[in-house]
Amino acid sequence: MYYQKEYECMPREELVKLQSERLVAQVKRMYENVECFRNRMDEKGLKPSDIHGVEDLSKLPFSYKTDLRDYYPYGLFASPLSDIVRVHASSGTTGKRIVVGYTRNDLEIWEDMMARQLVALGVTKDDIVQVAFGYGLFTGGFGAHAGAEKIGCLVVPISSGNTARQIETMIDFGVTVLYCTPSYAMYLAETAEKMGVVDQLKLRIGIFGAEPWTEEMRQKIEQTFKIKAYDVYGLTEILGPGVSRECEYQAGMHINEDHFIPEIIDPETLEPLPYGSIGELVFTTITKEGAPIIRYRTRDLCQLTVEPCKCGRTHVRMKKPQGRSDDMLIIRGVNVFPSQIEEILLKAGNEITPNYQIIVGRENNTDTFDVLVEMAENLFADDIKSIEAIQKKIENNIRSILGIGAKVKLVSPNSIARSEGKAKRVIDNRKLV
Ligand code: ADP
Ligand code: ZN
């Protein structure tokens, strides 16, 4: 069994001591190797020798998603490129992906954390694990795969897509554990139900994450598949999957605190808040070599608790993120900022205005993504041919820049409701928080 009890159940004082040692070493290493970090330290008049432990964390400068864009692709790496053995990437703020690099050692630690996750959820070497997260630059597939292999499971690396084949594979291969996004799990559950094959499944555990989901979705998936469904959280900038996950008690997600120091800050004042407060989640990585990051502002609004958990682990638990402190949407797994749509519309010609509204919904367990755009006064509402051509052009631009399809509809001038003189840009009907 792969259970790192000595780390996961460490008394808090010892844990803080370990974190402090690791933090001091990390700050020194980053100051020497990462220009962006060194400049920010210099601006604050800080030297690595001013940081003695976790108690000095709040002196350190923050990092942002835009840093990964500004230093794209390798500028934030703290190891020479020859020591980086893998990169992963996810969508970023301007359509440029954010890129993270892993050294050999980083990959081993990641595997450990993923193995911990599986063990905490009751997975053993006798399980057959279907990884229906995408393999590729997305961190999900390779991350889940490595952990399951580490504890000796039989891994089915099917990747995402082809729903009927996924279900056939689950039945034929006797799959007992399913890894994927919660929306895809819902879709698989409903499809299996429609096909009348739920009874042929041997599934017992589902591990779902990478996007927000509700307790109702959890219940629906658990009831349909007759399994336990667990929530796991991660983000590319910090690691990928495996940053935190529930234990068997499903009472918040334990953060791997021997590798990451979490903080909750007030997104307005930027002051750290005590345990129990709702605020923005900030992470500092203390063992990563390739792409370490200090005080990364995740923009996820969240709550931490240090109350002891029934499972005996001492690592803090985070509640399900309750929204974001910025306006980022996750649509079909892709990060979308309304400003990206605005930029596309500004370049789309003078027959349209940049007055728009994004409407996100969910149908058949897939996100719907509609963009309403007000046409300019000079475009005649009955010129159907032109309207269709413009809609198509904007749809193509959205697809090529964001990597996902949207349905664009031109509407008449001044038809999008304005509240307090300002249009409400996003209507999210998914009710995920
Ligand atoms: P990835 O490409 O690994 O999915 P991204 O960096 O694109 O990572 O997205 C990470 C974001 O996804 C997080 O900041 C958070 O907003 C969201 N997220 C990930 N896991 C969960 C989860 N279990 N519940 C809610 N939101 C989640
Ligand atoms: Zn626990």
Side-chain angles (χ1 to χ4, degrees):
M1 277 265 277
Y2 200 88
Y3 176 37
Q4 296 180 320
K5 196 163 184 201
E6 67 278 28
Y7 290 109
E8 293 180 73
C9 302
M10 220 177 212
R12 297 281 315 164
E13 313 82 76
E14 265 178 56
L15 179 66
V16 171
K17 203 162 150 263
L18 177 76
Q19 288 179 325
S20 291
E21 280 162 19
R22 290 179 168 178
L23 176 68
V24 169
Q26 183 74 284
V27 166
K28 182 167 178 296
R29 202 163 159 272
M30 284 185 65
Y31 190 82
E32 284 161 9
N33 296 296
V34 185
E35 184 200 325
C36 167
F37 179 67
R38 185 167 52 246
N39 291 344
R40 291 211 179 123
M41 289 284 279
D42 290 348
E43 273 163 28
K44 284 180 156 250
L46 275 176
K47 291 270 168 279
S49 56
D50 296 323
I51 305 302
H52 306 286
V54 175
E55 68 278 12
D56 295 322
L57 189 63
S58 61
K59 293 182 185 160
L60 291 166
F62 289 108
S63 321
Y64 309 87
K65 202 183 202 78
T66 45
D67 297 341
L68 286 107
R69 181 197 69 196
D70 295 344
Y71 287 85
Y72 171 90
Y74 304 140
L76 295 181
F77 289 5
S79 298
L81 213 50
S82 56
D83 289 343
I84 303 289
V85 297
R86 168 117 55 92
V87 288
H88 279 288
S90 90
S91 53
T93 45
T94 60
K96 266 244 189 297
R97 289 172 302 203
I98 56 153
V99 178
V100 291
Y102 304 76
T103 63
R104 184 68 252 159
N105 196 37
D106 289 336
L107 288 185
E108 272 158 29
I109 291 178
W110 189 14
E111 274 173 32
D112 280 358
M113 282 188 267
M114 296 306 289
R116 264 185 200 184
Q117 170 175 103
L118 288 158
V119 171
L121 304 181
V123 178
T124 73
K125 70 181 289 300
D126 297 328
D127 277 298
I128 301 179
V129 181
Q130 180 149 325
V131 182
F133 272 134
Y135 281 67
L137 285 176
F138 173 55
T139 51
F142 280 97
H145 185 110
E149 242 178 37
K150 181 136 200 164
I151 63 170
C153 303
L154 193 168
V155 186
V156 185
I158 191 163
S159 198
S160 52
N162 200 339
T163 305
R165 175 59 59 86
Q166 296 271 358
I167 290 167
E168 181 192 286
T169 306
M170 279 197 266
I171 296 169
D172 294 352
F173 293 16
V175 167
T176 55
V177 179
L178 175 66
Y179 247 121
C180 61
T181 58
S183 51
Y184 197 49
M186 276 283 272
Y187 187 49
L188 285 167
E190 290 191 355
T191 310
E193 206 171 32
K194 268 194 209 133
M195 289 165 69
V197 295
V198 172
D199 289 343
Q200 296 174 45
L201 295 169
K202 294 211 171 63
L203 218 51
R204 58 185 203 95
I205 293 172
I207 308 175
F208 309 125
E211 64 180 6
W213 55 311
T214 56
E215 275 310 314
E216 292 75 55
M217 277 173 80
R218 183 191 325 243
Q219 277 168 23
K220 172 89 181 101
I221 298 169
E222 288 192 334
Q223 281 160 13
T224 309
F225 274 144
K226 303 180 186 76
I227 59 171
K228 275 278 214 182
Y230 294 103
D231 196 6
V232 295
Y233 166 95
L235 63 169
T236 310
E237 296 88 326
I238 300 302
L239 179 77
V243 174
S244 70
R245 85 288 121 175
E246 289 180 326
C247 62
E248 64 270 39
Y249 293 99
Q250 294 176 313
M253 297 184 274
H254 288 281
I255 296 172
N256 285 312
E257 278 193 285
D258 46 341
H259 300 287
F260 312 112
I261 307 179
E263 295 171 86
I264 293 288
I265 62 159
D266 179 324
E268 302 290 328
T269 66
L270 308 182
E271 288 302 318
L273 299 174
Y275 289 124
S277 322
I278 296 184
E280 186 180 321
L281 184 59
V282 170
F283 281 113
T284 296
T285 70
I286 48 175
T287 51
K288 264 176 108 180
E289 297 175 344
I293 198 156
I294 300 281
R295 302 195 86 200
Y296 179 71
R297 291 189 56 184
T298 65
R299 306 288 176 171
D300 287 322
L301 294 175
C302 201
Q303 218 177 340
L304 299 180
T305 174
V306 76
E307 293 294 307
C309 182
K310 280 191 225 155
C311 72
R313 290 178 181 82
T314 52
H315 291 180
V316 299
R317 284 170 287 155
M318 57 180 264
K319 273 203 173 152
K320 200 180 249 314
Q322 293 166 41
R324 303 210 21 113
S325 70
D326 62 7
D327 52 2
M328 188 182 90
L329 292 157
I330 303 180
I331 306 177
R332 288 176 228 138
V334 174
N335 301 346
V336 176
F337 285 85
S339 56
Q340 291 175 290
I341 301 290
E342 197 160 315
E343 225 167 274
I344 292 169
L345 297 178
L346 283 168
K347 291 183 192 147
N350 59 6
E351 290 116 332
I352 58 142
T353 72
N355 289 319
Y356 66 96
Q357 194 160 55
I358 296 171
I359 302 173
V360 194
R362 194 159 266 185
E363 263 170 38
N364 297 326
N365 297 311
T366 312
D367 294 330
T368 56
F369 178 17
D370 294 278
V371 182
L372 306 184
V373 185
E374 284 183 7
M375 50 188 133
E377 305 276 359
N378 63 3
L379 186 71
F380 293 103
D382 53 359
D383 186 354
I384 304 294
K385 262 213 168 117
S386 305
I387 289 176
E388 282 178 359
I390 297 166
Q391 288 175 170
K392 188 107 240 132
K393 189 174 91 182
I394 301 172
E395 283 175 358
N396 289 341
N397 289 346
I398 291 178
R399 187 185 301 277
S400 75
I401 291 175
L402 299 182
I404 56 167
K407 209 154 158 265
V408 173
K409 186 159 183 275
L410 295 200
V411 296
S412 42
N414 299 313
S415 64
I416 295 178
R418 274 110 170 123
S419 56
E420 295 156 21
K422 223 176 140 195
K424 187 167 161 42
R425 294 293 182 215
V426 178
I427 299 181
D428 193 337
N429 293 321
R430 294 175 297 183
K431 299 196 177 61
L432 290 174
V433 286

